[in-house]
Amino acid sequence: MVTGYAIEARGLRKSYGDVDVLEEVNLQVERGKVFALLGPNGAGKTTTVRILTTLLQADSGTVSINGYDTKQQTHAVRAQIGLTGQETGVDELLTARENLEMMARLFKLDKAAARTRAEQLIIQFDLAEAADRPVKTYSGGMRRRLDLAISLITEPPVLFLDEPTTGLDPRSRTQMWEAIRELLDAGTTILLTTQYLEEADQLADRIAVIDHGRVVAEGTAGDLKRQVGTERLKLTYADEAVATRAHRLIGGVLSDPSVVSVAVDGPAQVRKLLNEVADAGLDPLEISLSQPTLDDVFNALTGNTAGAQR
């Protein structure tokens, strides 16, 4: 039954009353790859994940996970997937070991198998020293690692991570990235949503940018960066009003209240833009030229700043 893509969604639509949350979303995720969904608040990322993981029905469209249809073969789909949501799903009064063994038993492992699997995951996610302490004493990073461990009890071939590192400090985020890379090396297919553009750049083989319920761009990080120009000219101003005037004159994006960022293709265009702002008396304090980032992609495609993502 395992054919085609690990995750395939066609024509997904979802509305709540008069509000269209998803409009014709199409996704294809190759096996053993990391696919990232980026988008601003309310773009439809979490709704998409909930539909893909059988927690929500789409109004129309189809989804298959490893060849199984989410509507017609729901139980088979659930046997293929694991999910780590935005909110922690652990019992804070129990220890990590107790949480893991309890969930393993709910997945119908016998007592001995549940103990063995819990111990494997405790070691894999570096929780040995705290395994017998109540989860309420854990740091945010430890809780997220435990969340991820729980989603892997049945060793699912497809894993959904909905903003797995939100709120973590840089060290904990790096540890989560290492855990995700290990899962990828083991052949797991991963779809993640993230509010960190650097995270998508670091981890994802392909990225889809979703805005107002539609996929507005898809490709590798390099593909998406090339869509906004080969380089970015950034003009920094001391005054926001002057920056706004420059933005109206030459276009681009106000990536910061006082910074105008414009896609450029070669020295001739750079000279032209600089001459335009100089002729208008809008000389910047600082001029820089850089390769485009996913931040630039996000701004250009959605009209939002990266910090607005959810």
Side-chain angles (χ1 to χ4, degrees), residues 39 64 98 133 178 277:
S64 65
E98 290 167 339
R133 278 173 26 206
E178 290 172 355
V277 295

Side-chain angles (χ1 to χ4, degrees), residues 13 20 23 71 137 176 193 199 252 264 309:
R13 291 179 175 271
D20 295 326
E23 301 182 45
K71 291 181 181 177
T137 67
M176 282 294 289
T193 71
E199 187 159 87
V264 292
Q309 280 186 219

Side-chain angles (χ1 to χ4, degrees), residues 20-226:
D20 295 326
V21 181
L22 297 182
E23 301 182 45
E24 204 69 25
V25 169
N26 300 290
L27 297 172
Q28 292 178 318
V29 182
E30 295 181 28
R31 285 192 180 80
K33 303 293 186 181
V34 177
F35 190 100
L37 276 182
L38 298 179
N41 284 335
K45 302 188 305 299
T46 295
T47 298
T48 300
V49 169
R50 288 176 64 81
I51 290 172
L52 296 177
T53 56
T54 76
L55 297 176
L56 186 67
Q57 285 282 352
D59 295 335
S60 62
T62 62
V63 176
S64 65
I65 306 294
N66 275 341
Y68 296 101
D69 183 270
T70 56
K71 291 181 181 177
Q72 305 299 323
Q73 299 165 294
T74 303
H75 291 298
V77 167
R78 290 176 178 173
Q80 297 288 312
I81 65 175
L83 169 64
T84 297
Q86 292 183 27
E87 302 297 329
T88 183
V90 300
D91 188 323
E92 294 191 346
L93 298 179
L94 300 180
T95 66
R97 192 183 307 279
E98 290 167 339
N99 269 286
L100 288 163
E101 290 184 7
M102 176 182 69
M103 293 303 297
R105 295 286 283 160
L106 290 173
F107 279 113
K108 303 189 184 304
L109 275 67
D110 62 36
K111 185 176 288 188
R115 280 200 301 267
T116 298
R117 185 62 181 142
E119 186 61 29
Q120 290 171 342
L121 291 166
I122 285 167
I123 294 170
Q124 180 179 350
F125 288 93
D126 194 24
L127 293 168
E129 291 186 8
D132 297 307
R133 278 173 26 206
V135 172
K136 66 181 180 181
T137 67
Y138 284 17
S139 67
M142 293 169 66
R143 291 183 191 216
R144 292 306 277 165
R145 295 206 305 277
L146 178 57
D147 266 336
L148 184 54
I150 287 173
S151 69
L152 294 170
I153 284 173
T154 59
E155 300 181 82
V158 180
L159 182 62
F160 293 86
L161 304 176
D162 196 6
E163 299 191 10
T165 64
T166 296
L168 298 187
D169 60 70
R171 180 175 179 274
S172 296
R173 187 175 300 129
T174 299
Q175 289 177 330
M176 282 294 289
W177 288 1
E178 290 172 355
I180 291 169
R181 289 190 180 103
E182 288 176 4
L183 294 171
L184 182 63
D185 289 342
T188 306
T189 301
I190 299 171
L191 185 145
L192 67 87
T193 71
T194 177
Q195 62 178 306
Y196 300 111
L197 295 166
E198 181 190 6
E199 187 159 87
D201 213 352
Q202 287 278 337
L203 297 175
D205 296 288
R206 289 185 71 80
I207 299 166
V209 180
I210 187 169
D211 193 31
H212 294 99
R214 289 182 176 273
V215 175
V216 296
E218 182 184 333
T220 65
D223 292 336
L224 296 179
K225 291 172 185 177
R226 282 188 287 273

Side-chain angles (χ1 to χ4, degrees), residues 225-241:
K225 291 172 185 177
R226 282 188 287 273
Q227 286 190 31
V228 297
T230 55
E231 292 182 296
R232 305 294 295 184
L233 175 66
K234 293 189 178 182
L235 309 179
T236 302
Y237 290 89
D239 185 275
E240 294 180 18

